[in-house]
Structure formats: C-alpha cells, structure tokens
Amino acid sequence: MKKLLYVLAAGVLISCQTQSENTDMQTDNPFYQEWDTPYGVPPFGQIKNKHYSPAFEDGMAQHLKEVEAIAGNPDAPTFDNTIEAFEKSGDLLNKVSNVFFTLTGAHTNDSIQAIQKEISPLLSAHNDNIFLNSDFFDRVKALYEDRENLVLTIEQNKLLENYYNRFIRSGAALDKEQKARMREINERISVLQVQFGENVLKEENKFELLLEEDQLDGLPENVKTAGAEAAAEKGYEGKYLFTTHRPSLYPFITYSENRELRKQLKMGYIMRGDNGGELDNKEILREIVNLRLEKANMLGFDTHADYALQDRMLNTPDNVYDLLDKVWPAAIEAAKKERDLMKAMSVEEGLDIDIMPWDWWYYAEKIKVRDYSLDESEISPYLMVDNVINGSFILANKLFGLTFEEQTNIPKYHPDVRTYTVKNENGELVGIYLSDWFYRSSKRGGAWMSNIREQSNMDGNEVIPIIYNVGNFNKPTADKPSLLSMDQALTLFHEFGHALHGLLSECTYPSISGTATPRDFVEFPSQVMENWVFEPEMLAQYAFHYETGEVMPDDLVQKIRKAGTFNQGFGTVEYMAASYLDMAYHTITEPLAMDINQFEDAAMNEIGLIDAIVPRYRSTYFRHITGGYSAGYYSYLNSEIMDADAFAAFKENGLFDETTANAFREHILSRGGTMDAMEMYVNFRGRKPSYEGLLERRGFN
Ligand SMILES: [Zn+2]
C-alpha cells in the first residue's frame, strides 16, 4: 500500500509543479483550448512537441481529481453518479492521448519517442491509481451486486459489468499484502517481457549465413542482389549474406536448391532464444507463465487462461479447445496431403526425401508454379492504389449506403494524409475518415486502424467518430503509379473494415463504442471485408488496368480463385499448432517445472503435429504470448470462423444484398462492445457461427 501511496503522491506532485510552470504555456497550448477546426479534428498544425508533456501531466491530475470526487461522493452510488460520471471524465487526458498515440504510430520523431518513454510508466501508474482505488471500487461493487434492481439498459448493464470485472482483474478486491504482491508480479512480468523481446531481436541480428557465389544455385537475381547488398553493408565484400529476418529468410528457403543451406538458415530461425547462454529465453518464459498462474490464482481463477478469457467471446478454455479441435483434424489431413504431393515431387526429382521444415517452402513454390500458374506481376497492374481505395468506397456504398467525400479544409498531421467526410444514405454526416496509406520513415511498419475521437452519445450530445487508416504502400512517383500486390489489396480492405466498424458505431458510451470489443471478435468486421476483394462482381467495379483502363480479364480472375486454396493446410496447421502451444502454457494448474523444450514437444505430440511443420512460433520466440495475446493467439481463428460464416450469408443472398447488409450493420457494426459478442452474432445470423464455411474456403472438404 505504501508503494501505491507513493506513486499517487508522486503523480500529484509532478502535476502541481507543472501546473505552476505551465500557466504561461496554457495560453498557447492547443490541448487546453476548444478546437474550432472543421468537425473538431485536432489542429495538428498548431500542436508542437513541447505541448504534450504538460497536457499529459495536467490531464492525469485532472482525471484523478475527477475520480476522487466520484469515489468520495457522499451520496449513495447510482449508475449516473459513478459509472456514467467516470465515462465523462478525463477530457484533457483523452484529447492529448488520442493525438499523441496517433503520431507515435503514424508520424513519430525522436522527441515524441522520448516523451513516450517518459509518459508510459506514468500512465500505467495512473491506471493503477484508478483501478486500485478502494472507495471507487466499493461504489462499483455495490452497484454491480444490486444490478438486478437497477433499471439499466443492455448497454449500461454491459458497462457496469465491464468496470466491475476490470476492478476485480486489477486486484481492487485484494488485501494490502496481496495488492503489494500483485504490483511486484506485474512489474516483474513487464521486465521479463521486455527482456524476452530483446533477446529475440539480438538472436535475430546475431545469426549470419555467409555464402560464396557458387552457393547460390536457384536464387533469382533480385534475391542474390539483396544478399550481396546485405553482405556489403556488414563489410563482407564479394560475399552474400542471408539472415533469419523474414525478407531474407523466405526467398532463400523458397528458391535455394541447396538443401543443407536451407536447413542451416531455417534452423537459425527456429532456434532463436533456444541456444543456451545469456540470450536463451526458456527460463524467462517459465517464470512468466508461473507468475501469471500465481496472479490468476490470487484473483480467484484456476488458470491464467480462465483469467485472460473472462472478457472474451470464447470465455472459457473449454470453448477455445472446442473451436481448435473442430478445425484441427481437417487441417492436419490437408497438410499431410500437401506434404505427400511434395514428397512425390522429390521422388520425381530422384531424391526421395522426407519433407522437413526447410523443404516446405521450396517444394510449395514448385507446386504453385506447376499447378496454379499464378503470376502476381500480371495482377498488380489492375490494383493501382487509387482504384483499390475507390473499390473500398464502392463496397461501403453498395452495402451500407455510405458516401466518402474528400475535403481540403480538415487539418492533417502529414501532407500525405487524405481527409473525408462520411455520409449515410440520407446525406447525414456519420463520421470523419482520414487515410494515410503510403510508406515514410516516420511511420512504424504494418497497417492499422484507430480513432482520434470515439463515437458516443451521452445526454443527447452526439459525438461523431474521427477514424483513420494507416498503411505502408509504395508512394506513386511522377512516372510510376503505386500498384498493390494481392496481399496489399486485402490489407487495404481489411483495415477499411475496421474503419467501418468505427464509423458506423451507434453507441451511448465511448469506452464500449466502435471497435472496443473482445479481442477474439474485433478482427471479424475487418476480415469479412477481405472476402469481397477478389469476387468477380466486385473486381468489375474497381480492378481496371492502370494503362488501358480495361477491367481484369476472366482468365486472371479464375486463376486467382483457383489459387485461393493453395498451401492452406500448411498455413492453418502452422498457425493452429502455435495456438495450441499458447493454450498449453496458460492452462497449467501447477507451476511449470518441466524443461520448456520437453513441454513444447509434449504439447505438439498431443495434437499429432507432423515433422514437416514447426509451429508458426516456437516457445522461445513467441512474442504474442509473452505480450498481450496470452491465451489469445486463437483469436484470429475465431474471427475467421465468423467471417467465413457471415460471408456465406452474402453468398447465399447476393453479394450486395440489402437485407443481409442491413442486418450486419445493425447487429454487428453499430453495436460496439455493448452486448455479449455471441449474442450479437446470433442476432445477425440467426444461429451460432458454423465452422463449415472456413473449411470450405480453405479447401478442406
Ligand atoms: Zn485487423
């Protein structure tokens, strides 16, 4: 408890100091002002790096005062004076956080990174100051226990339940000693997580496969060039360097004809964190899973998985295993068939080998060329970025009646950002959409969606959402358009699906609106959008050749469709093996004493994984499970079951069927996290999701 008081005091102290220091700054600090910009989009042009820290510190201090006022309210707790009051609190902190965390991802710099390091521990302490506040918890608990007698809407009930669980899960109900132990555990886990990740990175950077010119048989010219450049960069002139970084690893194990070298590189990859010495991650992982078990037990859960799954759609370990066990038999059968095809190919080549993990990519590529004849370079000219963006807007219009109009007067944080108003079928404004699709060095890798302002509607005060998408596609140049790969086109529609989930939200409370849904549900509205991308009816709307303007010819469309089931056994098995491994670690009921490698082997033997495939992540570099995806790596599969099953409804009723689209919008996209996720799905589909759609899509039946 002492520690808690100390952190609390420190927090107040910092802000007292800064408050007096900052009085001058407040007059020109945009975070302290009302924004009179179009639609209340942050005035990015006026926000300077120096404005963040004071706004964060004052924002936390103000928020804490509001929380203390709620917790210390002499009136008996009501939903309004406790839960709703909390939803309305933290204005300044929200304002600065939303801008700041947009830029840490999309347009960062050294000074933002320095602020982030400084502010992260303060924010996590701030969080503890709220969710370990006993007076606040007592009020929430009293309401929760009396919930049958309160007259609450479905949404209010869900919100109350969320807060109650959040307090419990943070340890608010524990005694002093336990709370102290809880903080110790949390701190220790966060140190171990960082160390685990750093070790993986160091191991990755350490491994080198350095080759001579005569060891490059089979490699295409561009792969050789990349190898030569990598070698030159490290001072190995005239040689060729390949590493376990994926852009180096995959081309090599796909094309190299030298089986021994493929094995060396692949082994380098799968042994990361498992080589003994100071970078070995086995003991770190053991400590993490054991600490998690201790924490779960303290909070009254049998296992960490029970704890982690409490607020998910599949809310028990049994539900997760049920899902995995339904898909696994068909997946492993398909993978065995794929392996046998490869084996047959090796026999034809006169080798007759047992297919191993370092052979899979090599033979898969040969089969792809022989049986599918799909050449990406024929597809890309039909996927010019502006056309694909346009395609996503057309889809939103056909399904949900939305129109996107580009605007020039909305503030943006970088010139590459494009800004749109989004209107519904009646011409009413539903949201603001920013897109930022092109690579630049100030952006982190990957693609994502987030919001600058959540949708909410408290006391008739309707707040429309400000949603953005970010990507890393090549920027067009004066003489070269930006042509997307098939994967990139899918990514664009995927992230746009998240954006629609944010834009079409019609909820009351901001903390459960839009994409604030369980982790194993949130990828559903995004993944489902990928289904339309290569449907012939959809391609006819947007896939025009960038030079001739011709729509994609039928034979190309057919090739794309045929290749859709290629190598799916492998992809599914590799992913699911890692999901089983994740669950195995987090369903232990006694501290783990066994050697980590033995534990992994036992878990993989139990599901009958074949020698030709290793899990997508082995224990010692499985960063998802040391981070936020513990007992959650299965989530992608759960979302995919729903997306395949939901899309089947569109296939049955028509690709752009109005009734189906309306039901999807009403029961899924508009609801945020305001209801039980399974209930939402059942309301949309009339039944629980069936996994048959997924098996069919992946070619497993
Ligand atoms: Zn996603």
Side-chain angles (χ1 to χ4, degrees):
M1 199 63 186
K2 252 186 193 162
K3 214 180 232 168
L4 178 67
L5 282 172
Y6 170 75
V7 174
L8 199 76
V12 175
L13 194 70
I14 287 164
S15 50
C16 288
Q17 278 174 350
T18 47
Q19 252 164 1
S20 54
E21 274 171 20
N22 293 333
T23 16
D24 293 344
M25 284 178 65
Q26 287 182 15
T27 49
D28 72 334
N29 187 330
F31 290 117
Y32 294 82
Q33 294 152 9
E34 287 282 315
W35 293 338
D36 57 2
T37 48
Y39 315 105
V41 173
F44 289 108
Q46 294 166 34
I47 297 170
K48 306 278 177 281
N49 290 334
K50 64 174 184 183
H51 294 141
Y52 293 115
S53 293
F56 265 120
E57 284 158 11
D58 286 343
M60 283 187 273
Q62 279 179 20
H63 193 208
L64 209 55
K65 267 192 194 157
E66 289 170 305
V67 167
E68 279 160 7
I70 296 168
N73 190 337
D75 297 340
T78 64
F79 185 86
D80 284 0
N81 75 16
T82 305
I83 302 295
E84 195 164 305
F86 186 64
E87 282 287 302
K88 289 175 180 167
S89 68
D91 220 19
L92 177 59
L93 187 56
N94 282 336
K95 246 168 135 176
V96 62
S97 299
N98 287 338
V99 171
F100 185 75
F101 291 110
T102 298
L103 296 185
T104 55
H107 193 38
T108 190
N109 55 48
D110 288 348
S111 130
I112 285 184
Q113 278 167 3
I115 298 168
Q116 192 181 5
K117 270 201 178 143
E118 189 188 298
I119 224 72
S120 296
L122 295 180
L123 284 174
S124 101
H126 178 68
N127 199 55
D128 282 345
N129 291 340
I130 295 168
F131 290 99
L132 289 175
N133 181 319
S134 316
D135 293 336
F136 194 3
F137 175 58
D138 287 344
R139 294 178 75 85
V140 174
K141 188 175 173 220
L143 290 170
Y144 182 76
E145 283 169 354
D146 192 37
R147 65 193 185 283
E148 304 289 312
N149 302 315
L150 305 173
V151 185
L152 299 178
T153 64
I154 293 173
E155 191 175 343
Q156 288 172 331
N157 249 313
K158 186 80 174 88
L159 192 63
L160 175 57
E161 183 191 307
N162 282 3
Y163 278 123
Y164 176 75
N165 285 338
R166 194 159 166 196
F167 273 101
I168 292 287
R169 298 163 62 78
S170 304
L174 300 177
D175 65 30
K176 278 183 196 174
E177 234 168 79
Q178 289 174 314
K179 275 183 182 165
R181 176 65 186 145
M182 184 67 97
R183 275 185 184 265
E184 249 171 49
I185 291 176
N186 288 340
E187 270 175 40
R188 180 70 187 148
I189 289 178
S190 72
V191 169
L192 291 169
Q193 283 169 335
V194 172
Q195 210 183 330
F196 187 96
E198 281 177 4
N199 286 351
V200 176
L201 214 62
K202 283 182 187 161
E203 288 263 279
E204 245 164 34
N205 291 331
K206 211 170 122 182
F207 186 92
E208 294 181 341
L209 182 67
L210 198 58
L211 302 179
E212 305 289 341
E213 176 121 38
D214 61 359
Q215 294 177 293
L216 308 178
D217 289 351
L219 300 185
E221 275 315 308
N222 63 333
V223 178
K224 286 185 193 172
T225 310
E229 282 170 3
E233 223 170 89
K234 288 219 169 174
Y236 305 122
E237 289 302 332
K239 295 193 188 258
Y240 299 83
L241 177 64
F242 295 91
T243 68
T244 57
H245 293 108
R246 290 180 198 194
S248 179
L249 167 80
Y250 288 130
F252 191 87
I253 59 172
T254 302
Y255 296 110
S256 171
E257 287 168 9
N258 188 325
R259 190 174 188 224
E260 179 51 34
L261 293 178
R262 289 202 308 266
K263 180 178 176 181
Q264 282 180 31
L265 189 59
K266 181 75 184 181
M267 286 304 285
Y269 181 80
I270 64 182
M271 290 302 288
R272 288 173 299 158
D274 188 16
N275 292 308
E278 56 173 6
L279 300 180
D280 195 287
N281 269 337
K282 293 197 282 291
E283 286 313 307
I284 295 178
L285 180 61
R286 182 205 310 283
E287 196 180 342
I288 290 176
V289 299
N290 287 344
L291 285 170
R292 281 181 176 152
L293 174 63
E294 185 187 344
K295 181 174 162 176
N297 288 162
M298 254 165 76
L299 293 169
F301 296 93
D302 291 340
T303 70
H304 173 74
D306 288 281
Y307 164 80
L309 292 165
Q310 189 195 32
D311 58 2
R312 304 252 184 88
M313 184 172 175
L314 303 188
N315 52 2
T316 66
D318 280 351
N319 286 341
V320 175
Y321 278 119
D322 219 43
L323 167 79
L324 295 175
D325 293 346
K326 269 181 187 151
V327 180
W328 178 257
I332 192 76
E333 270 324 295
K336 284 176 183 169
K337 277 188 200 151
E338 289 165 6
R339 178 198 58 190
D340 295 346
L341 266 181
M342 295 180 189
K343 166 95 180 164
M345 192 174 235
S346 84
V347 172
E348 276 168 37
E349 285 179 344
L351 281 175
D352 192 9
I353 53 171
D354 287 330
I355 300 295
M356 292 303 282
W358 41 91
D359 300 315
W360 196 288
W361 291 77
Y362 177 75
Y363 285 103
E365 177 63 22
K366 291 194 163 196
I367 285 172
K368 188 170 149 194
V369 169
R370 185 188 68 187
D371 299 348
Y372 296 92
S373 68
L374 182 69
D375 181 356
E376 280 259 0
S377 65
E378 284 179 64
I379 313 280
S380 281
Y382 295 91
L383 301 176
M384 186 166 68
V385 70
D386 279 346
N387 286 344
V388 181
I389 291 171
N390 206 24
S392 69
F393 291 165
I394 291 170
L395 181 58
N397 183 266
K398 283 184 169 285
L399 293 178
F400 311 118
L402 298 181
T403 46
F404 288 70
E405 286 168 37
E406 188 153 10
Q407 306 294 338
T408 53
N409 64 338
I410 296 177
K412 43 178 84 174
Y413 55 84
H414 187 277
D416 284 354
V417 176
R418 294 170 74 175
T419 53
Y420 304 84
T421 49
V422 187
K423 292 182 177 158
N424 66 15
E425 57 273 49
N426 304 321
E428 294 153 354
L429 188 70
V430 297
I432 302 299
Y433 175 64
L434 281 64
S435 76
D436 180 12
W437 288 120
F438 298 124
Y439 166 84
R440 66 176 161 267
S441 59
S442 65
K443 218 184 242 189
R444 76 171 155 84
W448 62 96
M449 163 273 184
S450 191
N451 57 50
I452 296 176
R453 187 172 70 202
E454 293 96 350
Q455 181 272 336
S456 69
N457 194 359
M458 292 187 286
D459 302 332
N461 175 22
E462 204 179 330
V463 177
I464 61 158
I466 305 171
I467 303 294
Y468 64 91
N469 275 152
V470 182
N472 274 288
F473 306 141
N474 284 330
K475 202 172 166 174
T477 58
D479 49 351
K480 207 172 138 231
S482 173
L483 303 178
L484 302 187
S485 67
M486 292 168 66
D487 254 3
Q488 288 174 323
L490 290 169
T491 299
L492 190 147
F493 272 71
H494 175 106
E495 299 308 333
F496 185 69
H498 283 306
L500 290 177
H501 195 188
L503 287 164
L504 290 173
S505 174
E506 289 178 44
C507 307
T508 309
Y509 300 103
S511 78
I512 48 174
S513 78
T515 53
T517 64
R519 172 158 298 152
D520 54 358
F521 181 83
V522 73
E523 295 297 327
F524 162 42
S526 52
Q527 283 180 186
V528 76
M529 286 296 142
E530 296 180 31
N531 289 289
W532 274 269
V533 181
F534 296 116
E535 282 291 326
E537 277 174 271
M538 190 64 216
L539 286 165
Q541 302 282 333
Y542 78 91
F544 305 110
H545 194 283
Y546 78 100
E547 284 172 327
T548 65
E550 271 172 76
V551 73
M552 188 182 286
D554 268 351
D555 65 317
L556 266 190
V557 176
Q558 290 317 318
K559 273 188 198 172
I560 292 176
R561 299 184 69 71
K562 190 179 165 210
T565 55
F566 167 71
N567 213 26
Q568 290 288 320
F570 172 81
T572 313
V573 161
E574 185 200 42
Y575 160 79
M576 288 188 69
S579 304
Y580 276 109
L581 186 57
D582 167 28
M583 288 303 289
Y585 278 116
H586 294 116
T587 47
I588 53 168
T589 51
E590 294 295 328
L592 185 64
M594 200 192 287
D595 174 73
I596 289 291
N597 282 336
Q598 273 176 4
F599 184 87
E600 181 178 304
D601 285 348
M604 295 300 95
N605 281 337
E606 204 180 316
I607 56 170
L609 183 64
I610 53 177
D611 289 341
I613 300 178
V614 278
R616 184 169 298 171
Y617 299 93
R618 285 194 57 230
S619 306
T620 51
Y621 53 90
F622 202 165
R623 274 173 289 203
H624 292 79
I625 62 163
T626 58
Y629 269 81
S630 59
Y633 194 60
Y634 77 87
S635 293
Y636 302 96
L637 184 68
N638 191 48
S639 284
E640 200 182 334
I641 297 278
M642 286 184 281
D643 108 52
D645 186 59
F647 189 65
F650 284 96
K651 290 292 256 188
E652 287 154 22
N653 306 327
L655 208 55
F656 306 112
D657 180 63
E658 208 183 309
T659 315
T660 314
N662 281 341
F664 186 68
R665 176 181 180 166
E666 184 191 343
H667 297 297
I668 306 289
L669 295 178
S670 75
R671 299 278 162 158
T674 58
M675 292 171 63
D676 175 75
M678 186 62 89
E679 226 176 293
M680 282 169 24
Y681 192 87
V682 171
N683 288 346
F684 159 62
R685 195 66 163 111
R687 55 165 173 76
K688 288 186 173 182
S690 141
Y691 61 98
E692 297 296 330
L694 177 116
L695 298 188
E696 194 176 319
R697 175 202 289 179
R698 297 206 163 198
F700 293 169
N701 52 2

